[in-house]
Amino acid sequence: MTRVQLARVLLIASILYVIGFYFVGAAIKPGYSQLSNFVSEYNATGTPWAGALTYAGFLTTTLFLSAFLFACAPLLQVSGASRMGQWLLWCVPASYFLAVVAPCDAGCPLEGSLSQLLHNAFAIIAYFGMGASIALLSFAPGFRPFPVRRSFLFLSGIAFPLVFFAMVRPELEPWGGLLQRSLDIALATSLILVVWTLPGPRQQAKVRTR
């Protein structure tokens, strides 16, 4: 297996694990709705299954995504702004790890305990970082022959801060979870486009000849 193939396998495994985590978490969490509840509410302090979902969900997802980035980073042909986008990809595993180190309070309010305040601050950094990452990666030279892919990444990156602030507005509370998961889908699609587009010709040739 080449490093390109390993990176792709790790990405797909990460995405499938997250999907399983979300659905299992929703099934075992009393009263949880994927339409209205945020992802971080899976392990909200003092709620059922919080400990198990912290480690089996958030921590394991962090490890999967970190392994993917370690495998993927040396393969990406980036320069200038897109190189900064590559580094900012670490905001993706960080967005899950923040729920491990600073779980939210029940209901994930804008105000609350110290852990909740730290959670909110880290979430802003992580979401803005993820949006900037995929927007900047759209400027990588490898995307020049693929204007549709480039446009998708750029527009998804721009959407991140907009959707983030929309999903915490009180009037959109019934749809907060759905809005958050729309960003998850955009991010997963963007990462697939990145890892299938940006590895250099040498790595791609190795894949084709095996």
Side-chain angles (χ1 to χ4, degrees), residues 21-46:
F21 164 35
Y22 285 7
F23 279 95
V24 171
I28 65 176
K29 201 81 174 175
Y32 189 93
S33 168
Q34 297 208 51
L35 292 179
S36 58
N37 292 109
F38 296 130
V39 172
S40 55
E41 292 183 69
Y42 283 126
N43 74 327
T45 303

Side-chain angles (χ1 to χ4, degrees), residues 4-150:
V4 174
Q5 291 169 328
L6 176 61
R8 292 171 178 173
V9 167
L10 286 171
L11 176 58
I12 297 302
S14 299
I15 293 171
L16 292 177
Y17 191 86
V18 168
I19 293 172
F21 164 35
Y22 285 7
F23 279 95
V24 171
I28 65 176
K29 201 81 174 175
Y32 189 93
S33 168
Q34 297 208 51
L35 292 179
S36 58
N37 292 109
F38 296 130
V39 172
S40 55
E41 292 183 69
Y42 283 126
N43 74 327
T45 303
T47 60
W49 298 97
L53 292 171
T54 294
Y55 297 105
F58 291 104
L59 183 58
T60 304
T61 299
T62 300
L63 296 175
F64 264 114
L65 289 169
S66 297
F68 158 68
L69 287 181
F70 275 119
C72 178
L75 305 173
L76 303 185
Q77 301 298 296
V78 291
S79 61
S82 61
R83 188 173 301 279
M84 177 62 69
Q86 177 188 354
W87 283 107
L88 286 173
L89 279 176
W90 284 99
C91 289
V92 180
S95 69
Y96 288 92
F97 190 62
L98 73 86
V100 178
V101 297
C104 69
D105 299 340
C108 204
L110 293 178
E111 298 180 357
S113 66
L114 176 60
S115 182
Q116 177 67 60
L117 296 177
L118 290 173
H119 182 93
N120 293 344
F122 292 156
I124 292 172
I125 295 170
Y127 270 82
F128 273 71
M130 289 188 289
S133 173
I134 56 179
L136 291 173
L137 280 170
S138 72
F139 294 104
F143 277 114
R144 289 173 186 163
F146 306 102
V148 175
R149 299 182 192 183
R150 167 174 274 188

Side-chain angles (χ1 to χ4, degrees), residues 155-169:
L155 293 175
S156 295
I158 296 299
F160 255 77
L162 301 177
V163 176
F164 177 82
F165 283 119
M167 72 188 192
V168 298
R169 293 183 64 87

